[in-house]
Amino acid sequence: MTYPPHHQDMMSQGTGRICESRGKHMHWFTLAYLLLLAVPCTGFLPNFWSRVLTLSWNSHTHQYITEQSILNVTLETLRDTKKHQGHHAEEKTRLGRGFWRAVGEVVKSNAAMDFLSSTRSDPVYHFDSERVDSAMVMLRQFWAQTLLSVRAKEYQSARHSLGQLFHSLQDFYSHSNWVEMGQRSIYLHLLQPEEPAVPVAKEDTPTCMECFSATCRDNLLPRLTNTEQDSRLLTTGYFSTSPSKPEGKCSHGGILDSSRFMGAKGGINKDSTSPLFSPHHYLHVEAATLATEATLSVLRDLRDTVGHKTFLRLFSVKQVPALVFVMDTTGSMFEEITAARLRAHSIIQSQASRPGQPGTFLLVPFHDPEVGPVHETDDPNQFMQHMENLMALGGGDEPEMCLSAIQLALTHSPPLSEIFVFTDASPKDAHLFDAVKALALEKQSKVTFLLTDDPNYTTENRGRRRRRRRRRSREPLSPDRFSLYSSLSSLSGGLTIFTTNSDIHDVSTIVEDNTAADKVTLLHVESDQELMSSHLFRVDGSVKNVTLHVTGILMECILTSPSDQSQSLLSEQGPLAELERFTGLYRIRLLSPIQPGQWKLQARSDGHLTFNVIGDSSLDFLYYFATVTNETHPGLARVDGSPVAGVPAFLVLAITGLAPDEEVSFSHAMLLGADGQSLQQVKLNSSSSSSYSVEELVGRVDSVPRVPFCVRLTGRDSRGNKLERVSTEMVQPTHVQIQVLPVPRLVPGHSTMVDFDILNHGLARLFSLTADDDCGYLQKRGPHRFHVAERGSFRGQVDLHTPATALTGATVTLTLTVHALDSPDSNYAVAYLTVVPPDPDTAPPSCSAARVQSTCPSICNESSWSVSLVVSDRGRSGLAALHLHKGEGILTLYHSPPTTEDSLVKAQLSSDEQRAHRDMTASGGHHPHHHHHKARLEKGDPPLNVSEWFLGPSQPLWVRYTSSCCSAQAELLVWDTAGNMKRCHLTSGQQRRLRDKNTDTSDAGQIKLATGIFLLSWGLLWSSLL
């Protein structure tokens, strides 16, 4: 496979290589699965596993195209910022674990279009069966939704809709005859309605001839391969039997498409390089190249619309860990609030000296009955002001609304966050535990509790704490009242620390320890043994600054180094580590130089202990579980929620942060129980070539354990030394699954039904479903009870009503939790629903050439050229901003045209614009600088806000661009207040007709050009930026 030259350059430099001990491809069981699968294939193949199933190792998949495009535009964006100048491979290493998690969300949403029951066979989602017009409408809806979500800083929702957009957009080039028509540029009309459209063949128009071989050459009728613009005709292949294929139409084709036997026989898909699956396999590279260019174009338009900084935030590029505090503000919390303030200030000071994008700061205060508001910012000074404004006042009965506050924190914080909860009260809102658990697991965020009321302390201590907080009842409180906190921290990989107000400042050092950049986990286990327990962890050469946290009460603790040197941490100082002892927490820091190899920690306690070992290293991993699909698309379908216990599955891991010169091999992963015992070893093989953007490993889990477990990755570095990384969240195996069908959009003032499927992997039984959302839009939260047959399914609905006052672009986070009534089986699903306007303005601004002047001789630096433009908004929103994106000249903005250009300008205006121009002229102008320039712009200036300059949305703006003849090109970006963008390209050149080829991001009408301008020797060329 080949890429365009700039792609080849970017991919020629690797990010490090992972050695495979057992070859490049999969275990022998791959072929067994291939023989068992009889699966149709529609679209580019979903992911790496699809290449295995189709035996087309060099095929470009949706995953590959999407990952490479996001990576390329991200690195391009970083290079455009002056403070990020680095080698390609080094930049790639420093993108961060959060970046690859964000890319994974886009890839997941893309692939889900092939796997979800409601989308995998719908031709509209895949440009099948000549449903081109409906598919284009849907593409534009995905774009508008993505833009709304990004502007509202709802980045997870934006990544979801972006993945959906990419899937359909990429499918167009594989499923249509665009490539066969000789097209070597992308079809702009798909997302830009004002661009020239190619008509789609009517239902009664034959499109294909018979083909009786696996490879179908020249089976399209001549008009379908015509390269002349006026006689071109679009078609896409029909797949299977729904909808039925008319006689003479093209099929999708391939051995798994039943419609290929209907006339006209054969097919036209270019999904893979395999002739068995793709009759036009010989055009796969061309289709993949155009799909990549289209994906890049969308990403660049998105970046230029929302700005470089926001684009990098969308993909969590070089994002420092979020600082998330959930603070109880009742009257007993003065010491805790003070400690949190001091700790936040220290963290902010530390982050200020480090490179990277600004971090996210989040504060959620709570007491009873109020929760919030959520204070979210990327400004550390603003965050500190919110912290200073906290006051410990009021309070009443001991339980507080803690889980409600944690739910808000999880909803608003980015994935992979660490959330720190300061309280001394049990939860009053225990009914939210399932929703909070679902959010923590879905986002892979850790929740750590710092509790200053320990039921295990002495009666004297407990009496003192009770005097600080009034309670309605004098009855003794249950020692289990904090059990929900312990459960949440345990399953999310956090800690629950019972301490005192006198020690809370010291204990809160854990916040700084865990929120530093590039933290990796080397060990995370819990122990209830009364005898001495022994735990092993491994330190490799890439790990620095190793810290151990132990919660509980230690009776004895011995640390042993790889060289078998021991130190009793509680009774002596030694060369291995130093220990800080606080109430409820032991902080152990290994002393330099840290010996690489296997360390041993032995501990004895009369209660519960939790051990957590962290260090500094960029090398880490992400993972998910998947199953081989047996529906319409071959590939690995990611498991949403918890995996099914007792059945085979695949474990897919992505290695992040591998340095360019590192050579590392990963042999296996170990599934570990909560107390650290080994449950199952999973052998790993590489799933990708060295040109892939992130190294993926895949292994077969023979049988998913029936008890909670975490994942430990094991490998070796180039010197043969072992290395290990641990993912701390506890996977909760189950026998029930829940899947939310494609999420509808929410419209203010309307009700929306959200469908879901329950899949029962056990005996017939009763289930209970509970729903929750963070905005209160659900009509009924449940529980809803229903019966599901043995290995059967159930489809249900929940109803949300969006109030008329809902803000467009906002995201509603919906969590669904299903429980079996006869067993502990449960599972969850999280869906993000976006509020969209009922009648959105999708028409972008327009630019019309009014006058072009040029006196460019052969010596360019002695003359200049200029062009005058009329800029207006064709929608209802009005102009918002202008930005000179490229060009060395000066852009001057006017309220009205110079007198010499007035007649030319009027010729370019629509009737509404002419009326607005007459009204302004008749009134003498509403601006003191009428006929004078309002502002000047040069390249490098920030976008100029013009939203307050005009009386109405139909009033135009006049601009003149002047440049030296040595700089022959320029690019102007224009936005309206709805966020629609116009990209205008200015080029001086030989005598030519002026053309208008725009790369708008939304609808626009055709631009009218004055006939007289066509004869000018220097022109304005509007062309696509690809």
Side-chain angles (χ1 to χ4, degrees):
M1 301 302 164
T2 58
Y3 270 77
H6 63 284
H7 290 169
Q8 292 175 345
D9 291 343
M10 296 198 71
M11 293 175 57
S12 63
Q13 306 167 64
T15 61
R17 182 171 63 87
I18 291 187
C19 304
E20 299 93 26
S21 60
R22 307 191 63 156
K24 180 179 177 181
H25 304 311
M26 302 295 160
H27 282 299
W28 56 267
F29 61 76
T30 299
L31 292 178
Y33 267 105
L34 180 62
L35 295 174
L36 290 173
L37 288 173
V39 289
C41 171
T42 63
F44 282 111
L45 303 176
N47 51 37
F48 66 88
W49 187 250
S50 310
R51 300 181 302 150
V52 177
L53 295 177
T54 59
L55 301 181
S56 54
W57 302 105
N58 293 323
S59 294
H60 291 239
T61 64
H62 282 293
Q63 176 183 351
Y64 181 83
I65 293 170
T66 301
E67 284 181 352
Q68 287 296 321
S69 297
I70 295 174
L71 177 64
N72 287 350
V73 176
T74 298
L75 295 176
E76 179 184 292
T77 304
L78 287 172
R79 285 196 299 270
D80 287 345
T81 60
K82 295 180 180 179
K83 59 182 178 181
H84 289 102
Q85 297 292 336
H87 190 269
H88 168 80
E90 294 174 355
E91 288 283 1
K92 203 168 167 184
T93 301
R94 295 197 298 264
L95 291 173
R97 187 166 176 247
F99 170 78
W100 294 113
R101 157 84 194 209
V103 172
E105 289 180 19
V106 180
V107 170
K108 173 187 173 183
S109 176
N110 186 323
M113 303 279 275
D114 281 340
F115 298 138
L116 291 175
S117 59
S118 53
T119 58
R120 63 193 177 208
S121 299
D122 189 335
V124 174
Y125 287 98
H126 308 283
F127 275 95
D128 286 335
S129 307
E130 296 185 325
R131 300 300 194 266
V132 176
D133 291 338
S134 299
M136 285 193 296
V137 171
M138 187 192 64
L139 272 185
R140 295 162 192 167
Q141 289 175 346
F142 286 148
W143 168 260
Q145 185 174 332
T146 301
L147 194 58
L148 275 173
S149 296
V150 173
R151 289 187 175 278
K153 297 184 178 180
E154 301 284 2
Y155 298 130
Q156 277 194 283
S157 295
R159 292 191 287 265
H160 179 73
S161 55
L162 191 62
Q164 293 175 308
L165 186 157
F166 285 159
H167 186 99
S168 297
L169 182 66
Q170 292 159 6
D171 270 359
F172 170 79
Y173 296 96
S174 175
H175 294 180
S176 73
N177 63 322
W178 185 257
V179 173
E180 286 84 348
M181 285 192 291
Q183 298 295 329
R184 293 297 176 263
S185 59
I186 63 176
Y187 186 27
L188 296 176
H189 182 70
L190 292 177
L191 283 167
Q192 301 156 32
E194 79 290 346
E195 289 294 330
V198 178
V200 180
K202 296 181 179 179
E203 188 174 353
D204 59 353
T205 302
T207 55
C208 265
M209 298 180 285
E210 301 282 359
C211 171
F212 299 99
S213 62
T215 298
C216 293
R217 296 184 185 272
D218 302 323
N219 61 324
L220 283 158
L221 292 174
R223 188 177 178 188
L224 278 300
T225 58
N226 200 320
T227 58
E228 295 182 11
Q229 184 171 351
D230 295 335
S231 57
R232 290 181 296 181
L233 200 62
L234 263 181
T235 188
T236 64
Y238 282 73
F239 178 76
S240 191
T241 58
S242 179
S244 59
K245 177 179 129 179
E247 184 69 25
K249 289 293 187 181
C250 300
S251 285
H252 178 83
I255 62 173
L256 303 173
D257 174 20
S258 59
S259 77
R260 76 187 190 279
F261 297 115
M262 308 172 188
K265 297 180 177 64
I268 62 170
N269 92 71
K270 297 162 283 292
D271 295 342
S272 72
T273 57
S274 169
L276 294 177
F277 293 89
S278 300
H280 284 200
H281 59 91
Y282 51 90
L283 294 175
H284 171 77
V285 173
E286 288 83 349
T289 298
L290 288 177
T292 301
E293 290 179 4
T295 306
L296 289 167
S297 179
V298 168
L299 287 166
R300 288 173 179 141
D301 279 350
L302 180 61
R303 176 195 62 195
D304 292 338
T305 298
V306 302
H308 284 46
K309 179 181 176 181
T310 300
F311 181 84
L312 295 176
R313 272 196 168 275
L314 170 63
F315 291 107
S316 300
V317 176
K318 299 186 178 182
Q319 205 72 54
V320 298
L323 180 60
V324 186
F325 283 164
V326 177
M327 297 294 307
D328 184 344
T329 58
T330 47
S332 60
M333 293 294 294
F334 175 79
E335 292 89 350
E336 291 86 338
I337 292 173
T338 302
R341 283 191 192 123
L342 295 173
R343 199 57 62 194
H345 184 266
S346 176
I347 291 170
I348 288 169
Q349 292 295 106
S350 176
Q351 288 184 357
S353 61
R354 296 174 184 162
Q357 300 300 314
T360 296
F361 301 94
L362 196 73
L363 171 65
V364 185
F366 73 94
H367 61 277
D368 185 14
E370 295 183 7
V371 178
V374 177
H375 302 294
E376 182 179 2
T377 180
D378 58 4
D379 183 347
N381 294 324
Q382 188 178 39
F383 178 74
M384 283 307 303
Q385 187 59 54
H386 291 313
M387 292 294 296
E388 293 296 334
N389 292 338
L390 288 179
M391 298 186 69
L393 295 173
D397 57 322
E398 191 268 355
E400 302 291 352
M401 304 293 286
C402 184
L403 293 181
S404 299
I406 297 173
Q407 181 186 32
L408 286 177
L410 284 165
T411 300
H412 288 82
S413 60
L416 306 176
S417 290
E418 296 242 11
I419 296 170
F420 298 93
V421 184
F422 292 78
T423 185
D424 62 357
S426 57
K428 188 176 185 178
D429 43 6
H431 64 281
L432 288 177
F433 178 78
D434 286 337
V436 171
K437 170 185 171 182
L439 287 169
L441 291 174
E442 194 274 335
K443 288 199 166 188
Q444 294 179 289
S445 291
K446 300 176 184 178
V447 184
T448 289
F449 292 87
L450 291 84
L451 302 174
T452 47
D453 193 356
D454 186 354
N456 294 318
Y457 289 157
T458 64
T459 303
E460 178 184 353
N461 284 337
R462 291 202 303 272
R464 177 173 55 82
R465 296 296 300 184
R466 281 199 298 271
R467 287 194 294 273
R468 292 178 58 204
R469 181 183 288 274
R470 300 190 310 274
R471 298 191 174 107
R472 292 177 180 173
S473 173
R474 295 183 178 274
E475 297 179 3
L477 294 175
S478 167
D480 295 329
R481 65 188 183 277
F482 297 116
S483 61
L484 290 182
Y485 296 161
S486 299
S487 296
L488 185 58
S489 66
S490 177
L491 65 90
S492 69
L495 299 171
T496 296
I497 305 169
F498 293 99
T499 188
T500 63
N501 64 317
S502 59
D503 273 358
I504 186 62
H505 175 71
D506 293 325
V507 168
S508 65
T509 56
I510 195 170
V511 179
E512 274 187 87
D513 290 341
N514 287 14
T515 55
D518 292 330
K519 284 296 180 184
V520 297
T521 303
L522 307 178
L523 174 72
H524 186 88
V525 296
E526 299 181 13
S527 175
D528 289 303
Q529 298 181 26
E530 293 185 5
L531 301 176
M532 185 78 79
S533 62
S534 180
H535 307 283
L536 305 176
F537 64 93
R538 188 172 296 277
V539 178
D540 59 86
S542 70
V543 178
K544 313 296 180 187
N545 303 323
V546 178
T547 304
L548 295 75
H549 296 121
V550 183
T551 67
I553 301 176
L554 286 171
M555 310 296 292
E556 186 177 2
C557 187
I558 301 173
L559 180 67
T560 304
S561 71
S563 61
D564 211 29
Q565 186 177 10
S566 295
Q567 177 183 343
S568 178
L569 296 174
L570 296 180
S571 60
E572 63 177 301
Q573 293 183 341
L576 301 182
E578 63 178 16
L579 177 142
E580 295 177 274
R581 182 188 311 188
F582 314 118
T583 304
L585 177 69
Y586 301 85
R587 182 175 183 265
I588 305 164
R589 186 175 63 87
L590 298 192
L591 298 176
S592 296
I594 301 175
Q595 296 179 36
Q598 183 171 275
W599 290 70
K600 181 167 67 173
L601 185 67
Q602 296 171 283
R604 182 168 59 87
S605 172
D606 59 357
H608 183 84
L609 293 176
T610 302
F611 303 88
N612 193 62
V613 182
I614 57 176
D616 294 349
S617 174
S618 63
L619 181 61
D620 208 344
F621 73 101
L622 298 163
Y623 74 96
Y624 63 88
F625 287 90
T627 57
V628 177
T629 181
N630 60 355
E631 299 294 338
T632 59
H633 302 79
L636 279 184
R638 185 185 302 230
V639 173
D640 287 325
S642 299
V644 178
V647 300
F650 285 91
L651 176 64
V652 183
L653 303 98
I655 309 303
T656 63
L658 191 62
D661 55 351
E662 278 190 282
E663 189 173 288
V664 180
S665 64
F666 292 99
S667 57
H668 66 276
M670 188 68 73
L671 308 185
L672 304 174
D675 59 356
Q677 80 275 25
S678 298
L679 301 177
Q680 186 177 158
Q681 185 182 93
V682 181
K683 293 183 179 180
L684 300 174
N685 285 264
S686 175
S687 69
S688 55
S689 66
S690 60
S691 64
Y692 257 56
S693 51
V694 62
E695 184 68 24
E696 274 191 325
L697 305 171
V698 63
R700 186 177 189 268
V701 181
D702 295 328
S703 178
V704 174
R706 299 178 184 272
V707 296
F709 63 90
C710 65
V711 179
R712 183 180 69 200
L713 177 65
T714 300
R716 292 184 182 273
D717 61 21
S718 58
R719 295 175 295 278
N721 299 318
K722 278 190 175 182
L723 56 84
E724 293 177 347
R725 297 290 184 271
V726 176
S727 185
T728 56
E729 68 273 3
M730 299 300 293
V731 179
Q732 312 283 313
T734 183
H735 292 91
V736 62
Q737 289 179 290
I738 180 169
Q739 185 180 79
V740 178
L741 301 185
V743 178
R745 301 167 184 84
L746 304 181
V747 179
H750 292 74
S751 292
T752 303
M753 303 300 295
V754 178
D755 296 326
F756 61 88
D757 283 339
I758 303 293
L759 306 176
N760 177 21
H761 293 270
L763 298 175
R765 49 189 169 161
L766 284 172
F767 288 91
S768 172
L769 179 108
T770 303
D772 198 89
D773 75 288
D774 60 327
C775 295
Y777 292 174
L778 272 167
Q779 295 293 88
K780 185 179 179 183
R781 299 176 181 273
H784 309 273
R785 292 193 175 188
F786 46 86
H787 183 271
V788 184
E790 180 177 354
R791 305 206 174 275
S793 63
F794 172 85
R795 177 163 293 184
Q797 291 180 322
V798 292
D799 183 17
L800 295 94
H801 180 76
T802 308
T805 55
L807 297 176
T808 58
T811 292
V812 177
T813 303
L814 173 68
T815 58
L816 301 175
T817 306
V818 60
H819 286 272
L821 299 185
D822 65 344
S823 73
D825 281 336
S826 68
N827 214 330
Y828 64 91
V830 179
Y832 302 97
L833 295 83
T834 302
V835 179
V836 300
D839 184 23
D841 174 10
T842 57
S846 67
C847 301
S848 300
R851 185 179 181 86
V852 183
Q853 293 178 322
S854 174
T855 56
C856 287
S858 56
I859 303 176
C860 65
N861 59 4
E862 294 182 356
S863 284
S864 63
W865 64 281
S866 67
V867 58
S868 297
L869 307 171
V870 181
V871 179
S872 60
D873 183 29
R874 295 184 180 275
R876 305 179 303 275
S877 304
L879 295 173
L882 287 85
H883 175 55
L884 185 61
H885 187 55
K886 295 179 181 178
E888 302 301 323
I890 295 176
L891 191 75
T892 307
L893 284 70
Y894 299 87
H895 282 301
S896 61
T899 306
T900 56
E901 299 176 8
D902 209 26
S903 60
L904 279 174
V905 168
K906 291 180 181 178
Q908 312 308 313
L909 299 179
S910 65
S911 57
D912 289 341
E913 291 165 342
Q914 289 188 35
R915 190 178 306 111
H917 178 57
R918 286 196 302 269
D919 292 344
M920 178 184 289
T921 304
S923 64
H926 292 277
H927 303 282
H929 302 294
H930 188 61
H931 288 303
H932 293 82
H933 77 269
K934 179 73 175 180
R936 294 178 184 269
L937 283 176
E938 297 183 40
K939 190 180 75 171
D941 291 342
L944 178 66
N945 184 358
V946 297
S947 59
E948 299 178 357
W949 288 16
F950 308 102
L951 296 178
S954 62
Q955 290 186 352
L957 180 69
W958 290 265
V959 302
R960 174 181 289 165
Y961 178 76
T962 303
S963 174
S964 163
C965 290
C966 297
S967 176
Q969 295 184 352
E971 182 181 75
L972 172 66
L973 305 183
V974 185
W975 292 273
D976 66 15
T977 56
N980 303 306
M981 183 184 76
K982 179 81 168 180
R983 187 187 296 272
C984 310
H985 295 259
L986 291 70
T987 303
S988 69
Q990 300 297 324
Q991 184 171 353
R992 65 185 68 180
R993 289 169 56 94
L994 291 182
R995 299 171 56 228
D996 185 85
K997 288 185 65 180
N998 310 291
T999 55
D1000 302 348
T1001 56
S1002 297
D1003 303 39
Q1006 295 295 326
I1007 293 182
K1008 304 174 184 177
L1009 293 176
T1011 305
I1013 303 177
F1014 291 156
L1015 303 178
L1016 293 174
S1017 60
W1018 293 91
L1020 177 66
L1021 175 63
W1022 306 93
S1023 59
S1024 301
L1025 179 61
L1026 300 177

